[in-house]
Amino acid sequence: MKDVPLSPEQEREIATALIGMEGDLNDPVALARYEKQLRRLVQDGANASAKGRIRFREQLAIAQSFGHPEPEEYARNQAAHLAKIEALERRRDRSFRQAKADILKFANKAAAKVEKTSRTAHTSLRRRAQADRFFLATTGVAEKEGRPVKGGLVEAEIQKKYPGYRLPHWEKTTMPLKVMALSVESHKQGAHTINLHLSKDIDEAARRSPRGIVSYMQDRIRKAMKETFADDAPEFWFVLERDNAIRFHLHGAVVIPQPGCEPMIDEALRKAGGSWSQKSFQQVGRPVVEPIYWAHYATKRLNLTVIDIDTRLFASTLGIRQAARDGWDGLRRQF
């Protein structure tokens, strides 16, 4: 359900609450964050009220269609019953999300422990994927919140967690840093995000492929892009992410080959992802405006995904991969 327009009274309530907080929140970023949270809270209440009215009208029409002696009473009871079912479903979904978060937390801790042990055993090798993942998450969140991503508090947080941490040369970068480089380069060129869900048939075919899920999907996306754009097929990269126990999806970016072709990109990606009942939810692209955060978002479940997939987890076309490599030293010097 889309957000319903807020009433003038609700807008005045938000404005009054913000005026009351201006003295306590002198930081514009903190005030903006508070306004966003407050507006979401009011909006959720407005949406729930609107949904309740719609539900009541639907049940009233049903009651009247079969001649119920007290249609309004029937509609109120049914609407309340449906609202209770929806609340229970939301509670169930929250439990599932929490369970997934707990598993991811455990996977991250286990990966960090294994990495620390391997570095101790092989001191000449750089085995710091978890340190790189922490660097990416810390700088990415800072970028998302509008804070400086280098130096200051961000640097202090990284050094506290991993004393002496420095970005390595390209040859020793791990997957999180390579994805960061790809994301930053695609942002420079102008890019459209990949958020692609796979159909059941495509997911199963990708799992059966002897080349692995990532190579299978890279071929499908490349073919779909060539069919759509011919010789002007765009560069792209993506990361495989575990969705649940039986399904995966992709996050990444496509370099925009010409202005205004974003709908064509989305359609090509949907074609690569397979048949989907609600196409608008299968692939929803946006401009890449926060490249470091986007790289963090694309790799956030890396340690959970690797539990199921022991082959490579990301892919990129040759052009964007070479550009990311060429630009790495400059990006590295920035930090």
Side-chain angles (χ1 to χ4, degrees):
M1 178 179 178
K2 293 183 178 180
D3 288 342
V4 299
L6 297 181
S7 68
E9 292 78 9
Q10 290 167 325
E11 292 287 359
R12 282 195 292 270
E13 287 177 5
I14 294 174
T16 301
L18 290 174
I19 292 172
M21 290 299 294
E22 284 179 350
D24 298 324
L25 297 175
N26 295 321
D27 182 4
V29 174
L31 188 62
R33 190 180 302 125
Y34 173 76
E35 179 181 2
K36 183 178 180 180
Q37 293 171 348
L38 177 62
R39 185 170 290 279
R40 187 68 258 168
L41 185 65
V42 174
Q43 186 67 67
D44 287 345
N47 291 346
S49 297
K51 183 177 284 188
R53 290 191 295 271
I54 293 171
R55 193 180 287 123
F56 173 81
R57 288 197 296 269
E58 289 174 346
Q59 295 304 314
L60 181 62
I62 292 173
Q64 291 172 338
S65 69
F66 63 78
H68 195 282
E70 296 180 357
E72 292 189 358
E73 182 67 19
Y74 172 88
R76 277 192 291 270
N77 291 337
Q78 286 297 104
H81 178 66
L82 292 173
K84 186 177 292 186
I85 291 175
E86 188 175 283
L88 291 172
E89 289 175 343
R90 286 198 301 269
R91 185 183 302 175
R92 178 203 62 194
D93 292 342
R94 282 196 300 270
S95 297
F96 284 153
R97 286 195 298 271
Q98 185 58 52
K100 185 186 292 185
D102 290 342
I103 295 171
L104 177 59
K105 188 175 181 180
F106 173 80
N108 288 341
K109 286 184 176 180
K113 187 174 182 179
V114 170
E115 179 176 284
K116 185 176 181 180
T117 304
S118 67
R119 290 207 317 272
T120 303
H122 305 279
T123 55
S124 63
L125 300 179
R126 185 185 188 277
R127 296 170 179 259
R128 304 204 73 179
Q130 303 312 309
D132 294 340
R133 191 179 60 80
F134 183 79
F135 166 84
L136 182 57
T138 306
T139 54
V141 170
E143 181 187 60
K144 181 74 171 178
E145 294 178 349
R147 297 184 286 118
V149 299
K150 50 192 175 183
L153 295 177
V154 171
E155 178 68 18
E157 187 177 353
I158 294 168
Q159 293 301 324
K160 181 180 179 181
K161 179 78 172 178
Y162 293 99
Y165 179 87
R166 293 180 62 190
L167 291 179
H169 294 288
W170 179 260
E171 288 72 18
K172 293 189 176 182
T173 53
T174 58
M175 175 183 165
L177 297 185
K178 284 183 169 64
V179 172
M180 181 178 81
L182 288 166
S183 187
V184 169
E185 186 58 39
S186 60
H187 168 66
K188 288 180 184 177
Q189 298 184 29
H192 190 67
T193 61
I194 296 174
N195 297 284
L196 181 62
H197 293 271
L198 311 182
S199 72
K200 185 175 182 293
D201 291 342
I202 295 301
D203 186 281
E204 290 175 350
R207 288 174 181 273
R208 291 193 303 268
S209 171
R211 298 186 60 203
I213 298 175
V214 167
S215 294
Y216 182 87
M217 289 310 305
Q218 184 178 10
D219 289 344
R220 284 191 62 86
I221 293 175
R222 183 187 289 114
K223 180 181 178 182
M225 291 297 175
K226 285 185 176 180
E227 289 177 352
T228 301
F229 293 96
D231 293 337
D232 200 22
E235 303 284 337
F236 64 86
W237 61 269
F238 67 82
V239 176
L240 182 70
E241 181 176 299
R242 178 181 175 179
D243 190 17
N244 52 43
I246 59 173
R247 196 69 64 86
F248 291 88
H249 60 270
L250 312 179
H251 291 304
V254 179
V255 176
I256 300 172
Q258 56 198 39
C261 70
E262 290 84 349
M264 297 169 64
I265 291 174
D266 281 339
E267 190 57 37
L269 289 169
R270 290 174 190 136
K271 184 176 181 180
S275 179
W276 196 271
S277 58
Q278 294 179 298
K279 288 187 176 182
S280 60
F281 295 108
Q282 183 183 16
Q283 159 61 26
V284 182
R286 297 285 186 271
V288 177
V289 295
E290 294 156 340
I292 300 177
Y293 177 79
W294 183 240
H296 156 60
Y297 186 86
T299 57
K300 63 186 181 299
R301 293 201 181 112
L302 169 62
N303 291 325
L304 187 62
T305 305
V306 79
I307 292 174
D308 290 340
I309 302 297
D310 57 1
T311 58
R312 67 185 182 126
L313 299 181
F314 79 107
S316 60
T317 50
L318 180 60
I320 191 67
R321 182 165 65 250
Q322 187 60 53
R325 181 178 183 135
D326 292 344
W328 176 250
D329 284 342
L331 180 61
R332 182 170 171 250
R333 282 194 296 270
Q334 292 180 22
F335 291 96

